[in-house]
Amino acid sequence: MSRTYVVTGAASGIGKATKELLEERGEKVIGVDIHDADIAVDLSTEAGRRELVEQVSAHSGGRIDAILAVAGLATPTATTAAVNFFGTIATLEGLRPLLAGSAAPRALAVTSMASLFPPDDELLAEFAADNEEAALARAAVLEAGGAETGGLIYGTTKRALALWIRRNAATANWAGAGIPLNGVAPGIVVTPMTADLIQTTEAREAILQMVPMPLNGIFEPRSAAYLLAWLSSEENAHLCGQIVFIDGGSDVVIRGDSTW
Ligand SMILES: NC(=O)c1ccc[n+]([C@@H]2O[C@H](COP(=O)([O-])OP(=O)(O)OC[C@H]3O[C@@H](n4cnc5c(N)ncnc54)[C@H](O)[C@@H]3O)[C@@H](O)[C@H]2O)c1
């Protein structure tokens, strides 16, 4: 029998590739995005997040098997903080009750290798405190500071999300309810999000200095989709709070032995 997957960010890039892969395999996918999706909602707003839960409940008859929180923004703006952290957590927490009827419930979110970059500590602390108003105020200050400070927002959202997954995966709500909760941290993937970064040879060389990918380099979203599909499948019953780097090696090059 097919499973029901909710994929946010399903209109483009990694989310779209994952939706297509799951559908090719005969699974039912409810696609969510701000446009061009089964459910069109804006995950940067509280109203959009409420509507997400209402509409997924209606579409699924109140029972789903997996949550794939893929939607994200990489602009140096406060909206990126709203979508990547609070929108993603609201997706995971808001849809979690709908997993209760599944024989093999699964949940994951897409972080990034950019979570390894130095964060803005003040913004990180507001994410950890789950204070959206203060986080967005801090992100607005970073945005107003121009490219250098605005550029800290994205990596900080992804670090905060990875930490949230680590801190929650083993709790009663997730592991205690039989739900593996994990993250995926891609390196550079060919999607509209990275189009400007990889358009020219010079740009590609510059970005690969920051994100070294010795194993097969920049890749297509389908490769990430295979991992997302496995993590959200029945076969994954024991991964708990792992952030799986699918990054051509940037994590091992940047962090080396320091994770042990
Ligand atoms: N492309 C990469 O190199 C890369 C690397 C690391 C992590 N990621 C992460 O992977 C995820 C997917 O990114 P992608 O590369 O496929 O980008 P993408 O821009 O192709 O897709 C992102 C999708 O999220 C949707 N989205 C953005 N804001 C939204 C909102 N407010 N409400 C609802 N949906 C919204 C967009 O409409 C879009 O369809 C993101 O979380 C991104 O941060 C991407």
Side-chain angles (χ1 to χ4, degrees):
M1 213 177 95
S2 72
R3 287 161 56 77
T4 301
Y5 295 72
V6 177
V7 178
T8 72
S12 177
I14 296 170
K16 185 176 182 201
T18 306
K19 181 173 189 285
E20 287 169 357
L21 176 65
L22 290 168
E23 286 175 341
E24 280 168 30
R25 292 177 174 179
E27 309 291 7
K28 183 175 174 216
V29 179
I30 300 172
V32 178
D33 209 295
I34 200 164
H35 54 73
D36 299 315
D38 302 312
I39 297 176
V41 291
D42 180 353
L43 293 171
S44 72
T45 68
E46 279 186 28
R49 296 168 197 160
R50 268 198 307 276
E51 212 183 314
L52 166 77
V53 177
E54 284 163 17
Q55 291 214 35
V56 171
S57 302
H59 264 71
S60 65
R63 212 214 80 180
I64 62 173
D65 296 288
I67 307 164
L68 292 81
V70 186
L73 273 182
T75 51
T77 63
T79 312
T80 292
V83 177
N84 291 13
F85 187 77
F86 297 103
T88 302
I89 307 302
T91 301
L92 293 167
E93 291 283 29
L95 299 181
R96 183 171 45 78
L98 303 181
L99 293 172
S102 172
R106 307 285 182 258
L108 64 84
V110 176
T111 71
S112 170
M113 68 67 60
S115 60
L116 302 178
F117 295 149
D120 177 72
D121 289 328
E122 199 176 321
L123 180 57
L124 193 64
E126 299 302 356
F127 286 138
D130 196 26
N131 187 339
E132 182 158 9
E133 198 181 331
L136 296 192
R138 175 60 188 165
V141 170
L142 295 172
E143 176 181 346
E148 202 164 310
T149 55
L152 295 170
I153 296 171
Y154 180 74
T156 306
T157 66
K158 296 299 190 179
R159 180 177 292 227
L161 178 57
L163 290 168
W164 188 91
I165 291 168
R166 296 279 298 173
R167 288 167 185 165
N168 284 271
T171 63
N173 282 346
W174 297 96
I179 309 167
L181 169 66
N182 295 283
V184 172
I188 303 162
V189 185
V190 182
T191 72
M193 184 178 278
T194 55
D196 290 345
L197 298 173
I198 59 177
Q199 212 167 25
T200 64
T201 309
E202 295 74 31
R204 287 170 90 95
E205 280 169 7
I207 192 74
L208 286 169
Q209 289 290 318
M210 279 174 69
V211 185
M213 299 178 68
L215 179 66
N216 296 328
I218 296 168
F219 58 90
E220 295 292 328
R222 181 93 176 181
S223 289
Y226 289 127
L227 176 60
L228 270 68
W230 184 80
L231 284 170
S232 56
S233 75
E234 287 165 296
E235 291 176 358
N236 171 28
H238 302 285
L239 249 72
C240 180
Q242 297 303 303
I243 308 299
V244 183
F245 283 77
I246 176 165
D247 64 346
S250 66
D251 171 44
V252 294
V253 173
I254 292 169
R255 287 204 288 188
D257 289 349
S258 68
T259 55
W260 300 107

